[in-house]
Amino acid sequence: MAPDIRRGIYRLTGDFSGSVHMTLKSDEDLMLAYREGDAAAFDELYRRHRPRLYRFLAHEAGSSAIGEELYQEAWLRVINARARYQPTARFTTWLYTVAHNVLLDYFRRRGRLSRFEETREELPDAPACPRQEPETVCADAWQASRLRDCLEGLPEEQREAFLLKEQGDFGLDEIAAITGTGAETIKSRVRYAIRKLRQCLEGLL
Amino acid sequence: MSQPDDWHDEALSRLYRQMPELTPDPATDAKILAAARRAVGAGPRRFRPWLGGLATAAVVVLAVTLRLEATRPGLATAAPEAAPAAASTAPAIAEAPAAADAKRVETAPQPAPLTAAPALPEKQRVQPQRRYAEPASPAEPLLADQPPPTAEKSVANRPAAESADTRVADAPTPQVREMESDSASRAPTELAAPAPAPKALLSAAPPAGNALFSDPAGNAGASASSKAAASPALSYQDLMGQGKYAAAWDLMMSADSRQSSDPWTTLDQDLLARLTGKATYPRCTVNPPADEMLRNACTLIWASPGSEPQAALRKKLESTLGRDAGHGYWWRAQRDLP
């Protein structure tokens, strides 16, 4: 079975708000349809990638407010670049390449404008642990909260490589293509990230 | 996806998946989806091969039309007049005194140009006289030898009609007449111009050139361009520092954008926030840094849709970047509106 069809069928198990015809289409087909003026294709594409991309950017920026700005900017760039889109690779790779460029611009600006640093907001904390829930659930939530703090402590490149692997479910080559670096470099960055996260979460894993 | 184990940690992955879900604001969703619809609703950008040919043909037709219009004799105004005069310089010099006298007799007694003459006819009257006077430039030392205060005072104090008549009668040499005709040609211009205003501006201006913003309100009274021309001493940053935001705005809008010091290129969010009473415009700050002007345009449009600053902004963009590029920026900034 072709990967596109597999992805389409997988999508069938999700939200049924769009038409089945639209849901069966691959990301690449949807983007091509949008390029030709089909706004509904974009709606479906957006619905598919909304939570993952947002989460990736929010964790990268370390702030939900800035993450939201970057998220909006990334999608607007996708919209504006629709005429130049060519399905030479997976749409997801292209989308995260756009997001990567948005992030680069943001980090450059942040380096120049210290005001950004001052206005950074923290990501929302994990939901408070209700007393009636089992202790293990509370421990998981607390661990996740610790992981978020540890992620923020990582260098930008390592954090991005780790998040692309975990959040975007990308392989080595795809992460290398998105970030414009070599596969071995990515592998090394992920290794370092894992090692530092393990140190940071010592005793919890 | 099969990955080598040394770069995968199952416990970490599981922990990451347990992190709280983050979702964008529904308002952000709505903005993005609306932008996507607007983008294709404005017209799908399909490739039309014939469009290039059509555009080329249109440009050719436009160029030919403009060329024909430019060479039509009926439309030519100043150039055809100047050409014969330049071609026949010798006769013009020979006839100069008589022509100048005749023109003085015809034009000087008329009081109308002294008060409310339209700009274009006055220029057309003055130009021929100056053409005749230019060849007689050696006469300038003659006039310089004369006692200038008395001569100028007598000319300046006399009524225009009287002085013209007297000059015609008393003119002893062509050279002197030439100079007088030149001064007579200047006289209506000086009288018609609002002479007291610049003097008042200059006299009111302190040595530091601070007359422009001596008004505590910052910008009441004259237009921005005249104010900027009268005293450009206070910089944009100075005005901002003194809290004269309206004057800073005027200076920004009136500055020459071809100069690197134009505050337009350094317009910050602070001024906009103070002018518009809105704190931040985060949407407009996420554009690439290279697009400072677009960011400013976006901020302005967002801050005050449909208001007067927008018209000024568009004008500014078009005068700065040229009509097409300026319009392009304007359009792009509007397109990015939430």
Side-chain angles (χ1 to χ4, degrees):
Chain A
M1 194 181 291
D4 285 352
I5 298 174
R6 271 208 308 273
R7 273 201 295 276
I9 290 174
Y10 170 74
R11 299 296 173 197
L12 269 173
T13 61
D15 185 8
F16 276 90
S17 59
S19 68
V20 172
H21 173 70
M22 198 62 84
T23 314
L24 276 172
K25 280 188 170 181
S26 70
D27 289 349
E28 294 74 29
D29 289 342
L30 287 173
M31 189 60 202
L32 288 173
Y34 176 61
R35 194 182 73 178
E36 295 302 314
D38 185 353
F42 183 87
D43 290 355
E44 171 64 15
L45 205 53
Y46 182 79
R47 189 187 61 77
R48 286 183 189 178
H49 296 280
R50 173 178 175 269
R52 283 186 170 195
L53 183 65
Y54 178 74
R55 202 176 186 209
F56 167 70
L57 288 170
H59 281 304
E60 274 283 30
S63 152
S64 55
I66 296 174
E68 193 133 339
E69 289 294 329
L70 301 178
Y71 174 77
Q72 187 174 337
E73 175 67 13
W75 279 112
L76 287 178
R77 287 193 192 183
V78 168
I79 291 168
N80 294 335
R82 68 190 182 283
R84 297 191 298 273
Y85 173 74
Q86 293 295 334
T88 50
R90 277 173 66 194
F91 169 80
T92 318
T93 309
W94 184 66
L95 175 66
Y96 279 78
T97 306
V98 172
H100 168 78
N101 290 333
V102 169
L103 273 170
L104 280 186
D105 288 344
Y106 163 68
F107 287 129
R108 272 193 215 115
R109 272 200 309 273
R110 197 185 65 176
R112 233 182 35 211
L113 305 173
S114 58
R115 280 188 298 182
F116 264 102
E117 293 277 14
E118 293 162 11
T119 56
R120 271 179 67 146
E121 300 167 16
E122 295 302 318
L123 286 171
D125 285 330
C129 179
R131 288 184 186 279
Q132 65 269 24
E133 285 199 11
E135 198 173 300
T136 50
V137 176
C138 289
D140 287 348
W142 187 74
Q143 284 176 351
S145 177
R146 279 290 307 275
L147 175 59
R148 187 199 65 198
D149 293 340
C150 294
L151 273 173
E152 284 188 34
L154 287 179
E156 284 160 14
E157 293 89 359
Q158 293 175 20
R159 185 171 60 234
E160 185 182 38
F162 179 81
L163 287 174
L164 282 171
K165 174 182 167 293
E166 293 297 337
Q167 187 68 57
D169 202 19
F170 290 113
L172 262 183
D173 293 336
E174 284 174 313
I175 300 176
I178 289 169
T179 56
T181 46
E184 283 306 314
T185 309
I186 293 300
K187 199 170 179 179
S188 165
R189 284 178 187 172
V190 173
R191 275 188 197 143
Y192 276 116
I194 288 175
R195 191 181 306 163
K196 285 180 184 171
L197 287 174
R198 277 201 158 273
Q199 284 170 1
C200 181
L201 297 166
E202 196 174 4
L204 295 179
L205 293 175
Chain B
M1 180 182 335
S2 64
Q3 300 297 339
D5 286 337
D6 57 348
W7 86 305
H8 182 74
D9 190 311
E10 185 53 41
L12 268 179
S13 298
R14 187 173 43 81
L15 196 55
Y16 182 80
R17 286 193 295 272
Q18 288 171 358
M19 288 177 78
E21 274 300 317
L22 296 171
T23 52
D25 187 18
T28 305
D29 292 339
K31 280 180 197 171
I32 293 169
L33 292 175
R37 286 191 201 99
R38 260 204 319 269
V40 290
R45 304 197 172 178
R46 294 192 178 93
F47 178 66
R48 298 181 177 92
W50 47 268
L51 209 57
L54 183 66
T56 309
V59 167
V60 168
V61 167
L62 187 65
V64 169
T65 308
L66 284 176
R67 175 80 181 152
L68 288 175
E69 287 291 321
T71 52
R72 252 173 62 185
L75 285 181
T77 54
E81 285 178 16
S88 57
T89 311
I93 294 173
E95 293 170 20
D101 289 346
K103 277 187 182 287
R104 275 202 305 275
V105 171
E106 281 173 15
T107 58
Q110 295 174 358
L114 302 181
T115 56
L120 189 56
E122 185 176 325
K123 276 185 179 175
Q124 284 175 346
R125 267 200 309 280
V126 170
Q127 278 175 353
Q129 289 178 349
R130 292 192 178 216
R131 264 210 317 274
Y132 294 135
E134 277 167 8
S137 57
E140 285 182 15
L142 290 177
L143 189 65
D145 292 337
Q146 295 172 355
T150 55
E152 283 195 12
K153 267 188 185 174
S154 63
V155 171
N157 292 336
R158 276 180 293 189
E162 182 193 339
S163 64
D165 288 338
T166 318
R167 281 197 303 273
V168 171
D170 297 341
T173 61
Q175 284 85 355
V176 174
R177 274 209 310 273
E178 295 284 348
M179 293 310 297
E180 283 181 355
S181 75
D182 192 31
S183 68
S185 72
R186 274 199 304 270
T189 320
E190 289 170 2
L191 288 171
K199 279 184 182 173
L201 268 177
L202 288 173
S203 61
N210 203 4
L212 172 56
F213 304 115
S214 57
D215 178 13
N219 67 340
S223 69
S225 58
S226 65
K227 284 189 293 186
S231 171
L234 275 188
S235 70
Y236 167 80
Q237 286 79 7
D238 293 340
L239 290 170
M240 284 294 294
Q242 294 177 14
K244 294 175 179 174
Y245 308 121
W249 167 264
D250 282 346
L251 181 62
M252 181 192 74
M253 297 307 288
S254 63
D256 184 356
S257 300
R258 287 164 298 187
Q259 294 176 1
S260 58
S261 60
D262 181 8
W264 172 256
T265 58
T266 57
L267 169 64
D268 60 4
Q269 304 290 308
D270 189 35
L271 171 62
L272 292 165
R274 288 169 194 273
L275 282 172
T276 60
K278 296 186 181 182
T280 54
Y281 306 97
R283 170 66 196 89
C284 301
T285 60
V286 296
N287 287 307
D291 270 348
E292 293 285 344
M293 190 172 286
L294 177 60
R295 193 189 64 187
N296 295 333
C298 171
T299 306
L300 275 173
I301 292 170
W302 194 15
S304 48
S307 63
E308 191 180 342
Q310 281 203 40
L313 167 73
R314 182 170 181 174
K315 229 167 138 183
K316 176 76 176 177
L317 283 171
E318 290 184 355
S319 68
T320 305
L321 305 169
R323 193 160 175 272
D324 290 341
H327 186 72
Y329 263 94
W330 169 258
W331 183 82
R332 283 175 61 194
Q334 276 196 323
R335 186 197 54 191
D336 286 346
L337 278 176

